[in-house]
Amino acid sequence: MWLRKTKYTFLIVFIMCFTFVNAQNIAWKPASFEVVKSNYKTFKTTQYAHVFSNSKNNIVRLAPELEGLTGVTLPLEQYKNGTNAPLKLKFKENAQLLIGVFQEKGNAEYVQLTEADNAKLVLENGVTVTGLPAVNVYAIPFSKGTHTILQKAKGLFIVLGAVKSSQNLVSRNAEFPDGKLWNPTFIVEGFSDEKPLFEIIGGENAPVIDEGSPGTEGIQGGFEGGRVVKIGDTYHMFPTERAGEVGVEMYYDRVKTKIGHWTSKDAIHWKRESTILQASGTYAVTEDDNPMNDRRAAIWSYMPVFSKKENKWYGYYLAYTVHKEIEPNHSFGRIWRCESTVEGINGIAGPYKDMGIIMEPGLDSQPWEGRQGVASFFPYQVGDKYFGFYSGAYPFASWADYPKKSGKGWFVALAESNSLEGPWQRRNKGLEPIKSIHPLFVENPIVSQLPNGVYIAIFDGGPDGWGHHLPNMMGYSLSKDGVNWSEARYWPIETKVDKWWDIMRTPLCLIPEGNDVYTIVYNAIDLKKRFHPTGMVKLKLNREVMEARLKELK
């Protein structure tokens, strides 16, 4: 009898707790209002929402109770320096206005509420806005009619929306992080003051290649990086296959890698054709860049490029030394060039023969290239010259830190050559990486040209995870001359396709399909899986914006 009663009591408590928790995750019911005599725009309160005009500050964490409400976009600088015009709202019913207050005491740039404001704290750490302090959300009651909002208050705040006066707002701590961890702020395509260059028009709501897909037998860890090209009606993909070995821990997936060749007619259904390259998977015996070590222990980032002059496909790829204990375990990258033994555009399937190393650590390397550099390479033509993005990662503060004491940062710079074959030289002797795109993270850029001749580089924008707070989106940068690159914009593709990933990784292509539609095949990570899948999304180019961006470029 006691056991049955205890079980029953526990069940009731569990149901009550479950109901309470889930009640917090239900969006609050909005109340209607309009902005009075102002050109302030409104926004939908959701992830990536652009909360201030003339800024790059966006929401990256949001309590689910706030999802779908209507906020008001306030001018950033006017509110921070107190020169803003009063904000007037007309409520069509009794309502509770939700105000986000930045938690930085003593900073006059941010509003401070008082008892006279009649505000109730409903969400502690309820919103994260890039580049700005943690946000507490308060509810302020207003009756039906027109009201001036926080008339006597000075400083920046967020208008996140209004909810019905009858809405029961249960206070809680959402425990979202401080937005200053996202430093610097960044531009999210479609969530800023400017018109987007690309509209996300759809794609696949699930991976196009996942664990168990035909051809993935023996690939333990899925895919990361590489390139997709389209010849006629056929897509050719050359991904890094994180093969590993059955029964060996998943970290080895990053070591014993393969470069595969896959084909598809629609970028959705893929067939594995062959193995182009196979890494040895052999760990290093010394900590430094020593010829005693196998320098092809891991192979990554295969980039096929067609040489019109030689009428054959070249492949550029990365080979690493791998250490079992030092982070990063991929070290001292070398870029190899290979070429197809079959001439013509249809010789893309190979077989390929190695032609030697074109870039490696050496006398012209710089500390920013770090323990992992040279970490990727992609060549492209500008006039009579060729440029190549090369990268470094885990930088050394100085050569005194070599070989183990590395820092954080993923950077790119340019090499140049008179031909695809080389020799390739670091521009400016490699003294500085390109930080105009993003100052902390640009990885695996692939370059092509838009219809007006502007160069576009697409790249991995870095994770929001593993201790990093980066955009967690694929990004792009533009260049008029192929040398000077613009600040990045990032694609929030989860606004149009179901988000099946936790960590977004690398775009493999930007393929024009006609009518200004482009295909992107990409890799991403579902943290619940060992296998890293491949996805696909479609974008549409806005030619009017393209021409406007051309005029803005140096």
Side-chain angles (χ1 to χ4, degrees):
M1 177 69 179
W2 178 86
L3 182 60
R4 285 194 308 231
K5 185 176 180 180
T6 302
K7 285 183 175 180
Y8 179 74
T9 302
F10 173 78
L11 181 61
I12 292 295
V13 171
F14 175 79
I15 292 173
M16 290 175 65
C17 292
F18 181 81
T19 302
F20 174 79
V21 170
N22 277 275
Q24 309 312 304
N25 293 327
I26 297 174
W28 290 334
K29 296 179 180 179
S32 300
F33 71 90
E34 61 185 43
V35 181
V36 179
K37 294 181 180 179
S38 171
N39 59 359
Y40 294 172
K41 297 179 180 179
T42 59
F43 64 85
K44 181 180 179 181
T45 305
T46 187
Q47 188 175 30
Y48 305 129
H50 182 55
V51 293
F52 302 117
S53 58
N54 300 313
S55 82
K56 294 182 284 188
N57 307 98
N58 295 77
I59 292 175
V60 287
R61 297 285 191 281
L62 181 72
E65 295 95 314
L66 305 172
E67 183 69 40
L69 297 177
T70 299
V72 180
T73 307
L74 304 179
L76 180 75
E77 292 304 323
Q78 284 116 314
Y79 271 82
K80 287 179 75 171
N81 60 31
T83 61
N84 55 285
L87 173 64
K88 290 186 178 182
L89 301 180
K90 182 179 180 180
F91 296 94
K92 300 179 181 180
E93 58 186 305
N94 294 340
Q96 303 173 78
L97 187 66
L98 301 177
I99 299 292
V101 177
F102 295 102
Q103 300 307 293
E104 189 165 283
K105 292 182 179 180
N107 190 337
E109 291 183 343
Y110 305 118
V111 78
Q112 301 295 317
L113 298 180
T114 67
E115 290 185 5
D117 295 313
N118 195 21
K120 173 189 174 183
L121 177 61
V122 292
L123 286 169
E124 189 176 354
N125 302 305
V127 180
T128 299
V129 179
T130 54
L132 295 173
V135 177
N136 286 350
V137 181
Y138 291 81
I140 302 176
F142 287 94
S143 59
K144 181 180 178 181
T146 300
H147 299 270
T148 301
I149 307 306
L150 298 179
Q151 186 170 6
K152 295 182 179 180
K154 295 293 183 181
L156 189 65
F157 59 91
I158 311 173
V159 179
L160 291 161
V163 297
K164 295 182 180 296
S165 61
S166 59
Q167 178 75 60
N168 181 27
L169 305 180
V170 180
S171 300
R172 73 181 183 94
N173 189 342
E175 301 182 346
F176 289 139
D178 191 323
K180 287 190 173 182
L181 294 172
W182 280 260
N183 184 22
T185 53
F186 48 87
I187 301 171
V188 182
E189 189 93 326
F191 291 88
S192 71
D193 295 326
E194 63 185 26
K195 291 182 179 179
L197 179 60
F198 290 92
E199 177 191 358
I200 303 155
I201 59 175
E204 293 301 297
N205 292 317
V208 296
I209 305 178
D210 204 346
E211 186 174 15
S213 296
T216 62
E217 299 82 7
I219 302 173
Q220 307 302 302
F223 301 84
E224 167 50 26
R227 192 184 186 196
V228 176
V229 297
K230 190 177 184 182
I231 301 174
D233 63 353
T234 302
Y235 299 86
H236 296 261
M237 178 169 64
F238 296 85
T240 301
E241 299 173 348
R242 304 170 70 253
E245 287 186 359
V246 176
V248 179
E249 62 183 12
M250 62 186 299
Y251 204 57
Y252 194 58
D253 299 348
R254 305 176 69 245
V255 180
K256 195 164 187 180
T257 57
K258 298 178 183 179
I259 303 299
H261 175 211
W262 296 66
T263 60
S264 174
K265 295 294 185 181
D266 56 9
I268 300 172
H269 304 91
W270 291 89
K271 177 185 177 184
R272 192 178 191 280
E273 301 288 352
S274 66
T275 297
I276 300 296
L277 294 163
Q278 169 73 64
S280 71
T282 304
Y283 284 109
V285 296
T286 72
E287 298 174 342
D288 59 346
D289 187 14
N290 193 308
M292 291 175 61
N293 301 321
D294 188 331
R295 289 172 167 171
R296 295 173 63 91
I299 291 175
W300 292 77
S301 191
Y302 187 90
M303 299 292 175
V305 176
F306 188 71
S307 170
K308 293 181 180 179
K309 179 182 176 182
E310 299 298 328
N311 191 34
K312 64 177 62 175
W313 284 94
Y314 291 173
Y316 299 83
Y317 66 93
L318 167 63
Y320 280 124
T321 299
V322 177
H323 198 280
K324 198 168 188 177
E325 299 172 355
I326 300 174
E327 185 182 357
N329 70 337
H330 291 104
S331 304
F332 315 123
R334 285 170 163 79
I335 306 301
W336 287 72
R337 185 178 74 84
C338 60
E339 60 183 46
S340 177
T341 60
V342 179
E343 291 189 352
I345 196 75
N346 292 319
I348 191 168
Y352 287 81
K353 62 179 180 179
D354 278 321
M355 304 303 293
I357 296 169
I358 63 164
M359 285 195 77
E360 63 182 328
L363 294 176
D364 56 349
S365 296
Q366 296 297 322
W368 68 261
E369 295 180 31
R371 184 173 173 91
Q372 204 167 67
V374 179
S376 71
F377 186 82
F378 187 86
Y380 57 97
Q381 188 171 3
V382 178
D384 295 331
K385 292 191 70 66
Y386 290 87
F387 295 104
F389 271 117
Y390 71 97
S391 66
Y394 295 87
F396 301 119
S398 71
W399 286 125
D401 291 336
Y402 174 89
K404 293 192 296 183
K405 189 180 178 182
S406 59
K408 299 296 184 182
W410 290 258
F411 306 109
V412 294
L414 288 177
E416 61 182 316
S417 174
N418 292 321
S419 70
L420 282 171
E421 296 80 12
W424 291 88
Q425 302 292 332
R426 290 165 171 82
R427 284 177 57 86
N428 193 30
K429 298 183 179 179
L431 292 178
E432 290 291 337
I434 298 170
K435 293 189 176 182
S436 59
I437 303 173
H438 188 282
L440 298 174
F441 197 106
V442 179
E443 192 168 51
N444 296 322
I446 294 175
V447 178
S448 57
Q449 285 182 278
L450 297 178
N452 65 350
V454 168
Y455 295 90
I456 180 169
I458 59 172
F459 59 91
D460 173 358
D464 181 6
W466 304 321
H468 303 287
H469 293 289
L470 292 160
N472 204 30
M473 290 174 276
M474 297 178 284
Y476 74 89
S477 173
L478 302 177
S479 176
K480 190 174 184 178
D481 59 7
V483 175
N484 299 287
W485 290 89
S486 71
E487 182 178 2
R489 273 73 171 168
Y490 297 88
W491 287 310
I493 67 172
E494 60 266 44
T495 59
K496 292 293 178 70
V497 299
D498 293 345
K499 186 181 179 184
W500 51 263
W501 63 90
D502 298 297
I503 304 293
M504 176 55 67
R505 289 306 315 269
T506 307
L508 278 65
C509 58
L510 184 67
I511 294 176
E513 306 287 13
N515 297 320
D516 294 326
V517 172
Y518 288 77
T519 296
I520 294 179
V521 178
Y522 62 93
N523 300 132
I525 299 173
D526 179 344
L527 292 174
K528 298 183 294 297
K529 298 179 178 180
R530 177 174 180 171
F531 191 98
H532 296 180
T534 296
M536 186 274 280
V537 68
K538 298 279 189 179
L539 310 178
K540 188 171 180 66
L541 175 70
N542 184 322
R543 291 206 175 217
E544 180 182 343
V545 175
M546 177 184 69
E547 294 302 332
R549 294 278 184 89
L550 173 60
K551 294 177 182 178
E552 296 170 0
L553 294 173
K554 295 180 180 179

